[in-house]
Amino acid sequence: MSSRVFPDRRTAGRRLGGRVGVVLRERPDLAPTRPVVIGLARGGVPVAGEVADAIGGDLDALVVRKIGAPGHEEFAMGAITADHLVVNDDVPNRLGVSRAQFDAVVARERRILHEREDMYRGGRPRIDVAGRPVILVDDGLATGSTMAVAVDSVSEAGASKVIVAVPTAPSDAVGPLLDRGVDEVIVLTMPEPFEAVGLSYEDFGQVDDDEVIECLQR
C-alpha cells in the first residue's frame, strides 16, 4: 500500500488548516488573538498559505537555510535564519570541518538568505510577532534542524505562543520541539518507518520563488 497521503502541498495545507482550527477551538489559550502563520520558505509557504486562510491568520515567510558540510552538502551541520543559528550537536567536528570552513558556509548561506527575504517581501518588513501567537508551518519535518532554528527565532522575537504545524513528521520529532519550549505540535501523519518528507506526497516538486511571492502577495 502506498504511503503517499497528500496529492500536493496545498491539499496538505487545507487539511492541516482544518486540524489547526480544531485545536485552536479546543484550546483557545493558544491563540487568544489573531495568530501569525509563518511558512518556512520555500516549501512550507504554500502549506502555510492554506492554513492562514483556514483560520484567518496573517501570513508571513521565514527563510531558513541549511548549513551543509563542505563537499557533503546533504549532511546538515545546522541551520540559520536572518537572526539565529543552530548547530547540530558535534556534526562539524565529526565531519572534520574547521571553524573557518564552517564560518565560510554560514556567510555564503546568510547572503542567499537575505537576498531571498528581500525578493519575497519586495521591501516590506517582516510581521512583528512580539506578543502574538505564532504558528510555524513547513511541508514536513525530517531532522527538525530547520524548524528548531525557526522556533528559536520567533521565540526571541517575543511570540506569546509558538505552535508547530506540519502535514508529516517522524514520531521522534515532537519531543525535541516540546523540550525547546513549543506550546503545541500538530502533525497529521507520522509514517513508520519515516524515510523522507516527500514520500508522503504524490507531487513534491520544488516550490519556486514566484510561488512564494504569489502566496505572500495574496
Side-chain angles (χ1 to χ4, degrees), residues 3-176:
S3 62
R4 300 181 190 275
V5 179
F6 310 109
D8 51 39
R9 288 180 177 88
R10 290 183 184 268
T11 303
R14 287 191 288 273
R15 294 180 189 174
L16 185 61
R19 178 59 186 155
V20 171
V22 170
V23 171
L24 295 186
R25 287 192 293 274
E26 292 175 346
R27 290 198 54 194
D29 60 297
L30 288 174
T33 57
R34 183 181 175 94
V36 182
V37 182
I38 299 179
L40 274 59
R42 292 181 286 196
V45 176
V47 184
E50 299 295 339
V51 173
D53 286 348
I55 66 170
D58 294 324
L59 176 66
D60 203 356
L62 182 66
V63 180
V64 181
R65 295 291 296 176
K66 181 179 75 172
I67 307 301
H72 302 278
E73 281 71 21
E74 69 276 13
F75 290 105
M77 299 186 293
I80 59 168
T81 64
D83 51 14
H84 207 78
L85 165 69
V86 166
V87 180
N88 287 345
D89 300 326
D90 65 341
V91 172
N93 288 335
R94 286 195 285 111
L95 295 177
V97 177
S98 70
R99 180 58 186 265
Q101 288 175 307
F102 182 84
D103 289 346
V105 176
V106 170
R108 184 190 69 220
E109 294 299 334
R110 202 177 292 281
R111 285 194 298 273
I112 296 171
L113 186 153
H114 286 302
E115 289 171 359
R116 285 194 173 166
E117 287 208 332
D118 290 345
M119 175 175 54
Y120 294 158
R121 293 196 176 85
R124 298 185 305 274
R126 282 189 284 176
I127 294 176
D128 185 4
V129 301
R132 297 185 64 181
V134 170
I135 302 172
L136 290 169
V137 177
D138 206 351
D139 50 20
L141 296 181
T143 65
S145 60
T146 53
M147 186 59 76
V149 73
V151 168
D152 290 351
S153 180
V154 299
S155 296
E156 289 190 2
S160 60
K161 299 285 184 181
V162 179
I163 301 163
V164 170
V166 294
T168 183
S171 58
D172 59 5
V174 175

Side-chain angles (χ1 to χ4, degrees), residues 176-217:
L177 289 172
L178 295 174
D179 292 341
R180 211 172 194 93
V182 172
D183 295 282
E184 183 74 23
V185 180
I186 301 169
V187 183
L188 294 183
T189 181
M190 295 181 180
E192 293 291 349
F194 187 91
E195 297 177 355
V197 170
L199 293 180
S200 290
Y201 291 85
E202 293 174 10
D203 177 4
F204 197 63
Q206 183 172 332
V207 174
D208 61 26
D209 293 327
D210 288 342
E211 185 172 358
V212 173
I213 293 168
E214 184 216 349
C215 288
L216 294 176
Q217 288 178 341

